[in-house]
């Protein structure tokens, strides 16, 4: 796994906390001080209870639910550029072709113009079908321009997308402990897969499922999309349709969920998955320095148990908590 700069430590915890985390409150006292100071808590008593329950019941009863764009991936590159999301990667196909030495022909110029026009329409509020229409139009444009697997791979290779610090370590830990993991994204399934393989060097374990928009290929040319369509505001609906909320499967599903996302819509996933207890972690990918960002922070704190602000937010808090559970299971 190609790791971004990241480190975490259990050194500030007592031996008893490391080996027997069920004996402590699972609050700030059980987390490295430097990590705890960066994380905002909505209700500390509730968080203590949730951490204790999740730790006592262990990995066998844990389901980790993760967003992809700007959650597992960073929001900004080391140089300060905004990291490409799935649809940005596709939008930049012309640049990708140029980087590969191919002609940036009229076809890709037209493709990019159509996408640009669609984004302009969305910003102007001209989509009568709302967000769903945005995703439908993007998908239709890709099909109409005979987008190929080769185009997709070129686009991924030319992207600036990197993993959020600690994301590789998180996926390694989940793989090591065979924790059920669902990556829920309004992005493109095959773009996500190729990012993991080609950009991040991540080998996802068999207990990971990617729920995203799935291209249908014929001889490596895009022909359409496999339903259901997933966009930023219908994740719970899609998860429900895929059987994550089936009452018949309640005994088979893990009781507890840890969810990480970077938008209020990501928290809605919880309504599409049967569970008893959830601990939610939100990445607000900016500092709360003005009225607009302060309002965004307020919305996050209404919906997430824990919030970390800033461009350099990492998975340190969740890694320390999960590492304590792992350490407990080994003893």
């Amino acid at each position: 796994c190609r790791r971004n700069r990241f480190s975490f430590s259990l050194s500030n915890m007592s031996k008893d906390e490391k080996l027997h985390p069920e004996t402590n409150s699972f609050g700030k006292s059980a987390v490295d001080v430097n990590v705890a100071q960066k994380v905002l808590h909505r209700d500390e008593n509730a968080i203590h209870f949730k951490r204790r329950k999740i730790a006592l019941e262990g990995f066998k009863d844990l389901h980790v639910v993760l967003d992809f764009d700007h959650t597992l991936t960073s929001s900004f590159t080391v140089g300060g550029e905004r990291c490409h999301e799935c649809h940005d990667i596709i939008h930049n196909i012309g640049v990708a072709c140029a980087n590969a030495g191919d002609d940036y022909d009229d076809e890709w110029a037209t493709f990019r113009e159509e996408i640009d026009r669609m984004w302009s329409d969305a910003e102007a509020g001209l989509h009568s079908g709302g967000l769903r229409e945005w995703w439908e139009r993007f998908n239709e444009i890709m099909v109409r321009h005979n987008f190929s697997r080769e185009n997709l791979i070129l686009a991924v290779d030319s992207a600036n997308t990197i993993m959020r610090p600690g994301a590789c370590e998180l996926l390694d830990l989940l793989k090591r402990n065979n924790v059920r993991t669902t990556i829920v994204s309004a992005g493109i399934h095959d773009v996500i897969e190729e990012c993991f393989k080609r950009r991040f060097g991540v080998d996802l374990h068999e207990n990971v499922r990617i729920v995203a928009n799935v291209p249908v290929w014929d001889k490596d040319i895009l022909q359409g999309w496999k339903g259901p369509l997933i966009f930023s505001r219908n994740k719970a609906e899609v998860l429900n349709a895929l059987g994550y909320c089936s009452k018949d499967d309640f005994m088979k599903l893990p009781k507890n969920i840890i969810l990480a996302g970077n938008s209020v819509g990501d928290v809605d996933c919880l309504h599409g998955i049967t569970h008893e207890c959830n601990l939610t972690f939100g990445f607000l990918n900016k500092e709360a320095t003005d009225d607009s960002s302060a309002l965004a922070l307020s919305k996050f704190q209404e919906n997430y148990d824990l919030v970390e602000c800033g461009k350099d937010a990492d998975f340190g808090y969740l890694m320390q908590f999960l590492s304590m559970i792992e350490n407990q299971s080994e003893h």
Side-chain angles (χ1 to χ4, degrees), residues 75-311:
S75 56
F76 292 89
T77 67
V78 175
E81 295 181 345
R82 188 165 180 81
C83 280
H84 295 145
E85 299 179 275
C86 285
H87 290 88
D88 298 323
I89 290 173
I90 298 302
H91 179 238
N92 290 334
I93 181 59
V95 176
C97 289
N99 289 345
D102 295 340
D103 291 334
Y104 182 54
D105 57 22
D106 291 342
E107 177 73 19
W108 296 125
T110 303
F111 175 82
R112 189 179 178 94
E113 287 170 6
E114 287 196 45
I115 298 297
D116 288 339
R117 188 162 56 250
M118 183 190 69
W119 280 342
S120 296
D121 288 350
E123 291 173 355
L126 299 179
H127 287 175
S128 60
L131 288 170
R132 176 181 291 274
E133 181 181 344
W134 189 97
W135 262 261
E136 289 173 342
R137 284 182 61 183
F138 196 107
N139 290 352
E140 186 272 330
I141 291 170
M142 285 183 67
V143 172
R144 184 152 39 79
H145 284 269
N146 295 316
F147 207 87
S148 70
R149 282 188 185 273
E150 181 182 3
N151 297 147
L152 186 146
I153 290 171
L154 283 174
V156 168
D157 286 347
S158 293
N160 69 358
T161 309
I162 58 175
M163 293 203 83
R164 183 180 295 277
C168 277
E169 289 81 359
L170 174 65
L171 292 172
D172 283 349
L173 185 150
L174 298 175
K175 179 178 181 178
R176 197 161 59 239
N177 294 282
N178 198 32
V179 177
R180 180 167 181 162
T181 306
T182 304
I183 298 169
V184 188
S185 173
I188 299 169
H189 181 280
D190 293 30
V191 171
I192 295 170
E193 277 197 334
E194 293 298 335
C195 279
F196 279 124
K197 288 190 294 187
R198 303 180 68 85
R199 297 200 59 80
F200 311 148
V202 172
D203 180 21
L204 296 176
H205 67 95
E206 60 184 15
N207 221 13
V208 175
R209 182 178 184 185
I210 299 173
V211 176
N213 292 294
V214 180
V216 176
W217 307 96
D218 182 21
K219 297 180 180 179
D220 288 340
I221 301 298
L222 182 63
Q223 300 298 310
W225 298 83
K226 181 180 178 181
L229 174 73
I230 178 168
F231 56 95
S232 58
R233 290 294 182 267
N234 77 333
K235 292 183 175 181
E237 176 187 331
V238 170
L239 290 166
N240 196 357
L242 294 175
Y244 280 83
C245 208
S246 171
K247 300 300 182 184
D248 295 337
D249 290 338
F250 177 72
M251 297 305 294
K252 300 177 185 177
L253 291 168
K255 297 177 183 177
N256 305 311
I257 289 177
I258 291 177
L259 178 145
N262 78 307
S263 73
V264 173
D266 292 329
V267 185
D268 288 340
C269 290
L270 295 173
H271 298 299
I273 307 173
T274 301
H275 66 286
E276 292 180 2
C277 172
N278 64 75
L279 182 69
T280 56
F281 194 99
F283 290 105
L284 181 62
N285 293 313
K286 55 186 173 183
E287 301 289 353
T289 55
D290 55 31
D291 289 346
S292 175
S293 55
L295 179 60
L297 174 58
S298 176
K299 290 287 186 184
F300 264 58
Q301 289 188 288
E302 289 174 9
N303 288 275
Y304 285 100
D305 293 311
L306 301 141
V307 178
E308 185 170 354
C309 302
K311 298 177 181 179

